[in-house]
Structure formats: structure tokens, C-alpha cells
Amino acid sequence: MDFELKTMRLAQAARAKADALVFLVTQDTAKAKADDALSALAARAIKTGDFSAEAGKLLPCYAAEGIQAPRVLLAGAGDGSAQAMRRAVAAAIALIKSGPARQAVLCFAQTPSPAALRAAVLAAADAAYAYTETKPKAKPVALTGVRLALPAAASAALKTAFAQATATASGIRLAREWGNRPANHATPRQLAAAAQAIAKEKGSHIDCEVLGPKEVAKLGMGAFAAVARGSHEELRFIVLRYQGAAKSQPPVALVGKGITFDSGGISIKPAAGMDEMKFDMCGAASVLGAFEALRQLQPAINVVGLIPACENLPGGGATKPGDVVTSLSGQTIEVLNTDAEGRLVLCDALAYAARFKPRAIIDIATLTGACVIALGHVRSGLYATDAVLAQALQQAGEAALDPCWPMPLDDEYAEGLKSNFADVANVAGRPAGSVTAAKFLQRFVPEGTPWAHLDIAGSAWKSGKAKGATGRPVGLLVQYLLAQAA
Ligand code: BES
Ligand code: MN
Ligand code: ZN
């Protein structure tokens, strides 16, 4: 989707040439004097009861009086808040994206807040995305360009918000795309190639290094390697480094769970819905998405991205329940359940992060079904050892409309991880399954480094008719990184 920011008063917008014109009608618009063709149209529609400014309300009009564009879509934008704009634009773009319009003008009657403008861009990009990679005959989305028309020249803050939003939209798109691709089209090797492709772009300031099974074994990542053993598909450990600030500045480390397919391994999952475990690399995809946004925005910050990528399959060589493996940290782990594999690949990546002396480590993982039970599909689970980091991430989530919610890390939750045969077991009992997973990870965080863990099992993808990756929490991560750079 191509976006453009324009200055256009309503009277000009009415005369503008466009395939389609979306008029965002807020409660304020509805109250204002109607002295242009667009406002007059909205006023008439409200008066007859066919339309209201309620967020998400739509009224398609054709060949409207005094309006140059053949189709006008009235879209209720409520109080003009970011939430309301998101609803309005999502509904409007969903309606017109299949064509025939190729270009649309999104027309604002009042100057939006930076947050509302950002929400409008992200909602348009989101609504216009269609997965086509393995559907070669699918008709592509007709709508490819959106002009955002503001009534007055955009302030610096609005221009910044616009640039951040379009870059974030690209990052979200990339994360959705890799999340959606079937496991046989998104192997660890293909993920690594995707990371390398971002780094290779001119002026990216991103460096990408990819390790294979031999290097990983040599490093001593016995937990990560144990997960990959059951599959013929080779593991990859992806290291991305974005340098936007002085080399001396410690980076933020993002660690993304990259299980390209999670069958459960020997502790195999039930067949129903197992296809959705292709989404088990959405944490990794969100790291790639964040790097894509960094590449485009070039903020003054250093960021490291670490992605342990492999399949979790049963097989003659697979790790068995009860096997004890040695992690990079030196701690031994009794693998009581091979389906608790995410924490095994992450624990080695967390320990590896120490070599970058990061100022903070944030891991992102579709880690537990229990988190879906706790928080559903609305908020991601947020665990943190540092109050400042926790607050920054929570605030970023609110601002980006990509929210998370704090979860506890009391030591009592780690009781169940005790093992008679290793330093730690990889599972505890059923109670508080999302918390005990976080407690497992916490043991592997480099001493003294602020750490946060985002359990995105409920937020990274949707099931049912709209099955597909959401691109979350790229919005949250980019918002956080930009705030840290500022
Ligand atoms: N990838 C899954 C978590 C998951 C399950 C996310 C369903 C979204 C929906 C993870 O690897 C897993 O299998 N976790 C187990 C842990 C258990 C064995 C302690 C789970 O949640 O059941
Ligand atoms: Mn699993
Ligand atoms: Zn998993």
C-alpha cells in the first residue's frame, strides 16, 4: 500500500480526482456548518437517518452532487480518537479494497491527533493486506494507494507520526506475511534468508549473521539443538544487528521464538487445529518486522535481534520425555514435555544475548496456551524484572493500540520446575502455565540485565474464518524502540 500525506480543505477534496473518496465523519464534523459538498452530503444523510458519526458506520454513495470522485464513502469516525479512527478506516477500506477503486482519498474534516493519524494509516494497511503467496490465482487487492487529506498543513509531529506509521505498517505486513506462510514455505532457512534480505537493503545499517547446526552445537546451545533434533529441516540461529547510535551505546536485544512448526515433538499435540502451529514463529516474525521498521526509520538506537529457528517434530532422533540436555548457560534441563519447546530454544538465545551487554532484553514468544486462557486474544502477557522497562512496554502497547498486561513473577511460581535429575525441569503443573514458563526463562537471563517477556500466544494470530497472523506485537515494539531513541 502506498501512502501520501496531502493538505486539502473539504471544498478542495470535493473537487479532487480520485477513484474513491472516504469522508471521515466525526461527531464534530456532524455538528459543524455544512458549507461544502462533502459536509452537505453527510448532513443530509444524518438528517434522513441513513447515517451517523458512530465509529465504524458506513454509507456508500454514488455520483454525489458537487463531488468529483464517482464514489463517496461516508465513514463514521466517532470522537476522532485513535480507536475510533481505526474502526472507521478499517471498515471503510474493507468495503472498497476489492475495487474497482485503485486509489482512495481519506478525507479528514479536522486535523487528527498524531495517534489518530497513525491509527488511520495502520488500519488502512491492515485492511488492504491479503495473503497470496501460496494462492497464485487469487485476485490481488485492487486498492493500492491511499492519500490522507488533512484540512491544514501537517505539523512536524504529524509528519513524524505519518512516517513512523508507514514504516510500522511495512513491519507489520512483513510479520503477518511470514506468520501466514505455511511451515513448508517458511522454514528456518527461509526465515534466515528473509532476515538477510532486510540487512542487504542499501543503507540499512543492519548486519545479519546466520549460524547453522554445527556452530550452534559448538557454542553449546544444547537446549535449542535438542528441539531441532527430530526434524530433517536444519535449524538456524539468526543474529541481526541494527546500529543507529554510537557503537559504545548498549543495544536493546529482541529475542523471537522461531518454531516454524510445533507438532509437540514426542509429546505430540492432538490433530485438531495443529495446522495453527505454523504460527509458532510469530515472535521471530515480529523481530523481523521491527527490523524492517528500523531500517526504514533509522532511529538513533542500537538493537540486536536474536532468532532461534527450528521445527519441533517427532522422529527417530527426537528428544524424548525425561532426556536431560545442557543449555548454553551451563544449567541442565530435564525435558519432561517436548511440547514445552519454546522455552528451550529461548533459554539459549537469552544466554547468548549476554555477549552484547544489552541495556534490556525483550523476548517475544507464542509460548503458552495458558496465556490464551488468561488474557484471551486482546492483550499480550507482559512479564518483566524491571519496573521501568515494564512501564515503557505497557505504555508503548497502549499508544500503538497493541496492548499488553502485566503478569507476576513471584518465586513461588517456580516451585514446580524442580527436578530430581537436572537443575531444572522444562514444565511445572497445569496451574499458572504462562507464569511458570516465564519463571523458567527468567533463570537464563544474564545477571543484572533488565528483561521482559511478551507471551503473544493469544495475540499473534486469529483462528476461525479470519485465520491469519496479526503482525502483533510489531506496533508495540516499534513504539517502544522509537521512544527509547528519542
Ligand atoms: N506453541 C505452544 C503454545 C501455544 C499453544 C500457543 C496453543 C498458542 C496456542 C507451546 O510450544 C506449547 O506447546 N506449550 C505448551 C506448554 C505445556 C506443554 C507446558 C502448552 O501451552 O500447552
Ligand atoms: Mn509446544
Ligand atoms: Zn511452541
Side-chain angles (χ1 to χ4, degrees):
M1 174 71 66
D2 292 320
F3 289 100
E4 211 185 323
L5 195 58
K6 282 260 177 197
T7 310
M8 228 186 264
R9 276 174 294 103
L10 291 183
Q12 287 172 285
R15 289 194 299 272
K17 278 214 179 82
D19 295 346
L21 204 151
V22 178
F23 184 33
L24 296 161
V25 182
T26 65
Q27 284 142 11
D28 286 346
T29 322
K31 275 185 233 136
K33 207 166 104 230
D35 50 10
D36 64 276
L38 278 166
S39 306
L41 177 65
R44 258 181 287 143
I46 291 169
K47 201 167 167 198
T48 57
D50 291 295
F51 178 68
S52 83
E54 191 191 316
K57 266 260 183 220
L58 295 179
L59 182 67
C61 307
Y62 197 77
E65 199 181 310
I67 297 168
Q68 176 84 48
R71 17 194 116 64
V72 184
L73 181 56
L74 300 180
D79 59 4
S81 66
Q83 298 255 19
M85 274 305 168
R86 177 166 74 169
R87 285 193 63 182
V89 175
I93 301 298
L95 189 73
I96 63 172
K97 69 172 179 189
S98 322
R102 296 167 174 281
Q103 307 279 334
V105 174
L106 271 186
C107 192
F108 293 78
Q110 300 92 24
T111 299
S113 68
L117 182 73
R118 217 185 293 131
V121 169
L122 290 175
D126 193 66
Y129 168 81
Y131 173 81
T132 57
E133 176 69 11
T134 47
K135 288 172 87 173
K137 291 195 182 117
K139 197 168 132 246
V141 174
L143 187 75
T144 52
V146 169
R147 262 183 292 164
L148 292 98
L150 307 189
S155 63
L158 279 172
K159 283 184 189 158
T160 303
F162 177 73
Q164 292 179 348
T166 54
T168 306
S170 310
I172 290 173
R173 192 198 153 76
L174 187 89
R176 290 180 78 180
E177 184 59 32
W178 281 104
N180 284 335
R181 288 192 188 179
N184 64 331
H185 292 261
T187 61
R189 283 176 293 158
Q190 285 169 314
L191 277 193
Q196 278 163 331
I198 299 170
K200 244 182 92 181
E201 291 282 325
K202 212 166 150 239
S204 72
H205 294 108
I206 296 170
D207 173 78
C208 181
E209 189 189 350
V210 177
L211 312 183
K214 281 203 192 91
E215 289 109 321
V216 161
K218 194 158 168 232
L219 276 164
M221 293 183 165
F224 176 26
V227 175
R229 287 174 58 100
S231 173
H232 294 301
E233 198 59 61
E234 281 190 7
L235 67 74
R236 287 293 182 269
F237 189 74
I238 306 165
V239 182
L240 283 158
R241 261 180 301 184
Y242 166 73
Q243 200 197 322
K247 265 213 166 81
S248 57
Q249 276 210 25
V252 171
L254 302 179
V255 179
K257 173 178 172 182
I259 299 296
T260 57
F261 190 76
D262 179 14
S263 72
I266 297 296
S267 315
I268 198 160
K269 289 178 180 294
M274 204 206 271
D275 65 289
E276 295 194 5
M277 283 298 118
K278 72 171 181 177
F279 294 118
D280 213 15
M281 36 58 72
C282 283
S286 76
V287 174
L288 294 183
F291 270 79
E292 173 60 17
L294 290 172
R295 179 186 77 74
Q296 292 188 23
L297 293 169
Q298 297 287 309
I301 187 174
N302 294 333
V303 186
V304 171
L306 302 175
I307 297 174
C310 70
E311 292 185 337
N312 183 25
L313 292 188
T319 296
K320 305 166 289 299
D323 283 1
V324 173
V325 301
T326 305
S327 68
L328 178 61
S329 75
Q331 296 175 75
T332 58
I333 303 165
E334 186 183 14
V335 182
L336 286 174
N337 189 324
T338 63
D339 197 11
E341 85 299 337
R343 59 198 80 182
L344 295 175
V345 305
L346 288 171
C347 75
D348 280 345
L350 288 170
Y352 187 85
R355 65 170 62 193
F356 302 100
K357 302 196 167 44
R359 62 194 240 212
I361 302 177
I362 302 160
D363 78 68
I364 308 103
T366 50
L367 201 62
T368 63
C371 190
V372 190
I373 303 300
L375 296 174
H377 304 286
V378 180
R379 287 177 184 266
S380 308
L382 168 67
Y383 296 85
T385 54
D386 180 275
V388 176
L389 178 60
Q391 214 201 354
L393 287 170
Q394 209 188 334
Q395 270 175 7
E398 298 302 320
L401 303 183
D402 184 359
C404 57
W405 197 254
M407 300 283 280
L409 279 172
D410 303 77
D411 282 336
E412 287 86 341
Y413 285 110
E415 266 311 296
L417 293 171
K418 286 188 175 148
S419 162
N420 290 346
F421 305 103
D423 296 330
V424 64
N426 78 327
V427 290
R430 271 171 54 85
S434 174
V435 188
T436 57
K439 288 307 286 181
F440 177 91
L441 292 179
Q442 193 183 357
R443 298 174 60 100
F444 299 87
V445 176
E447 187 76 32
T449 309
W451 163 72
H453 158 59
L454 287 162
D455 193 333
I456 57 166
S459 55
W461 77 89
K462 290 181 185 153
S463 307
K465 202 159 162 271
K467 190 190 287 183
T470 61
R472 291 179 66 186
V474 171
L476 180 160
L477 294 173
V478 174
Q479 188 85 27
Y480 165 78
L481 293 172
L482 293 174
Q484 294 304 302

